[in-house]
Amino acid sequence: MSVVTLEKCRENIRKQLDNVVDFWLKYSLDRVHGGFFTCIGKDGKIYDELKYVWLQGRQVWMYCRLYRTMDRFHKPEILEAATVGGAFLRKFARVSSSSGQWKCAFCLTRDGKALKVQRTIFSECFYIMAMDELSRLTGDKDMQLEAEQMMEQLIYWVQVDPSGLGRPQLPGEVPINSLSVPMMLMCLVQQLTEGRGQEVAQKYKELGNWCVEQILQHIQRAGTAILENVSVDGSELPGCQGRLQNPGHALEAGWFLMLYGAQSGDKEIHRTAIRNFVELPYQYGWDKEHGGLFYFLDVDGHCPTQLEWSMKLWWPHCEALIAFLMAYSHTRKPELLEIFSEVYQYTFSHPYSPNETVNSLGGWADLNGGVVAVQAMEQGS
């Protein structure tokens, strides 16, 4: 791929990102109750008024990150949307659990009533990202403190006692290390420490190292596979759960590890990230007949229990674009740029449009991926 071609990719991603932001600014903000509508047709019509906390948090974070880091998005309407969305989250997202600990709802009604709570940590993850990023714009120290307090709660649930999640320990259940958990905690460590100085970096240093150790346990079968679930001691689990592969998650973990390696100066982690979490998931996850990344795979070639395994979702391709571009920017290996080109051509030659993809989690991965990929191109091309 030539520099000229790479520049064309950047301009296309820039255009797509502008279209996505314009669409969401026009149709998503709820000016009556606050927060955002996220179930929107490509014509802009709302087809469901439920508000999912994952998406509320990601949207606040994205508007803040765009406003703070990219000059062309330094617009009052973006700051207004972020502020209104953040206020809605602060007022309604947190609910008290039976243990007295704060939990974030998974889903809210339009006017903010909690409708569903999941027994996972991911609503809380996106709440933390939103509050921390918004606090950087507003200077609200209480908001930053809320993010850090919720982070301490997550750490306790993950490392000490998960009972506050409301998931009872059943006699047949085997404790597992799921890749999504240390991966998201590493993302939060990078979010909370960015530009905050040595004191904050030191506060989360041990957790960051723990996340790396947990992620590396997913390298299995003598380095030939990344498995989504392993035992807490790092051994392979039996059955379908143990054979599960999620190429998108592996790629996402790869670029978190690359950031960790670059920040810490750990060259070995950086090499491992590219070799095992970027190149390897592409090798086993790319559909060699039709193109695109599979959603799920079974490491032994059996049919995955997830019925949607063969779907080609938008977000794994965005993770791949970020990962390969980031890997190339650090190594200048031409084969990494060629794979980026292959993923890019597949992604933008299939019937995705910004207004269609925003109807799903993958749509916001597109927006996130667009920002990071553009920044990587501008810095590394």
Side-chain angles (χ1 to χ4, degrees):
M1 174 182 274
S2 67
V3 174
V4 173
T5 305
L6 189 59
E7 178 65 24
K8 290 181 179 178
C9 293
R10 182 175 71 172
E11 288 306 311
N12 184 39
I13 291 175
R14 181 187 179 99
K15 178 182 177 181
Q16 296 288 346
L17 179 57
D18 289 347
N19 289 342
V20 168
V21 174
D22 289 346
F23 179 86
W24 280 77
L25 284 173
K26 184 176 181 180
Y27 296 113
S28 180
L29 184 63
D30 184 349
R31 296 187 178 278
V32 177
H33 295 286
F36 307 107
F37 298 114
T38 54
C39 297
I40 309 173
K42 61 182 178 180
D43 57 359
K45 292 182 179 178
I46 312 299
Y47 60 82
D48 195 328
E49 294 182 346
L50 294 181
K51 295 174 179 176
Y52 296 89
V53 171
W54 283 33
L55 289 174
Q56 303 293 310
R58 293 174 79 172
Q59 197 161 343
V60 170
W61 181 89
M62 181 55 59
Y63 283 151
C64 293
R65 180 59 63 116
L66 289 170
Y67 185 90
R68 187 168 68 87
T69 64
M70 303 184 77
D71 289 343
R72 74 181 190 276
F73 293 116
H74 200 82
K75 301 176 180 178
E77 59 267 33
I78 291 180
L79 180 59
E80 178 197 11
T83 303
V84 171
F88 182 84
L89 273 176
R90 291 183 84 182
K91 187 174 182 179
F92 298 115
R94 291 176 299 172
V95 295
S96 181
S97 67
S98 58
S99 64
Q101 299 169 332
W102 284 107
K103 190 86 175 68
C104 282
F106 173 71
C107 184
L108 305 168
T109 62
R110 180 182 177 183
D111 58 357
K113 296 183 180 67
L115 190 64
K116 181 180 179 180
V117 176
Q118 284 191 324
R119 294 174 292 185
T120 65
I121 65 168
F122 301 110
S123 291
E124 289 79 12
C125 288
F126 292 110
Y127 182 87
I128 291 168
M129 291 183 70
M131 292 300 103
D132 181 77
E133 191 65 31
L134 184 56
S135 74
R136 294 169 184 268
L137 293 189
T138 63
D140 189 329
K141 297 297 183 182
D142 289 338
M143 193 181 296
Q144 183 185 347
L145 180 61
E146 286 177 23
E148 293 178 355
Q149 288 174 336
M150 184 65 79
M151 184 66 171
E152 294 305 311
Q153 183 66 76
L154 286 193
I155 296 169
Y156 181 80
W157 283 333
V158 171
Q159 294 188 334
V160 181
D161 181 8
S163 62
L165 295 172
R167 187 170 59 242
Q169 182 73 39
L170 300 175
E173 183 180 3
V174 177
I176 67 168
N177 169 5
S178 173
L179 179 58
S180 59
V181 172
M183 181 183 74
M184 275 306 304
L185 286 180
M186 173 167 277
C187 174
L188 293 177
V189 168
Q190 292 169 349
Q191 171 69 38
L192 291 169
T193 59
E194 180 192 359
R196 296 287 194 196
Q198 280 301 311
E199 183 178 349
V200 177
Q202 194 63 34
K203 176 180 178 180
Y204 292 108
K205 182 178 180 180
E206 184 177 343
L207 177 61
N209 294 338
W210 178 86
C211 290
V212 172
E213 293 173 1
Q214 296 293 302
I215 291 171
L216 294 181
Q217 286 187 348
H218 293 265
I219 304 174
Q220 295 288 322
R221 302 197 177 189
T224 64
I226 301 297
L227 299 182
E228 184 72 8
N229 304 303
V230 296
S231 72
V232 291
D233 64 2
S235 57
E236 186 172 334
L237 293 167
C240 297
Q241 185 182 45
R243 298 195 305 268
L244 181 65
Q245 295 182 292
N246 184 332
H249 268 174
L251 286 157
E252 188 175 7
W255 60 271
F256 291 154
L257 286 175
M258 277 189 278
L259 287 174
Y260 175 90
Q263 292 163 357
S264 65
D266 191 328
K267 295 181 180 179
E268 183 56 35
I269 287 294
H270 202 277
R271 285 192 290 267
T272 299
I274 295 175
R275 180 180 64 246
N276 294 96
F277 288 89
V278 178
E279 294 177 316
L280 182 60
Y282 166 79
Q283 291 166 9
Y284 66 69
W286 189 258
D287 183 346
K288 295 175 178 58
E289 182 178 0
H290 299 290
L293 286 163
F294 288 118
Y295 193 7
F296 295 108
L297 291 167
D298 184 290
V299 70
D300 287 333
H302 302 297
C303 183
T305 56
Q306 290 80 0
L307 297 180
E308 71 275 31
W309 72 270
S310 61
M311 292 175 64
K312 310 290 175 60
L313 276 69
W314 186 255
W315 72 263
H317 297 82
C318 294
E319 304 296 351
L321 290 172
I322 297 165
F324 279 102
L325 199 56
M326 188 181 295
Y328 171 73
S329 71
H330 287 288
T331 66
R332 295 297 181 178
K333 292 170 63 175
E335 58 268 31
L336 295 172
L337 194 58
E338 289 306 313
I339 296 174
F340 166 82
S341 177
E342 182 179 24
V343 177
Y344 176 90
Q345 294 301 327
Y346 177 88
T347 302
F348 288 99
S349 64
H350 284 72
Y352 298 108
S353 74
N355 296 354
E356 291 169 341
T357 59
V358 291
N359 297 329
S360 67
L361 288 174
W364 280 106
D366 164 41
L367 184 53
N368 184 15
V371 173
V372 179
V374 167
Q375 289 175 329
M377 287 183 191
E378 291 174 342
Q379 294 167 3
S381 62

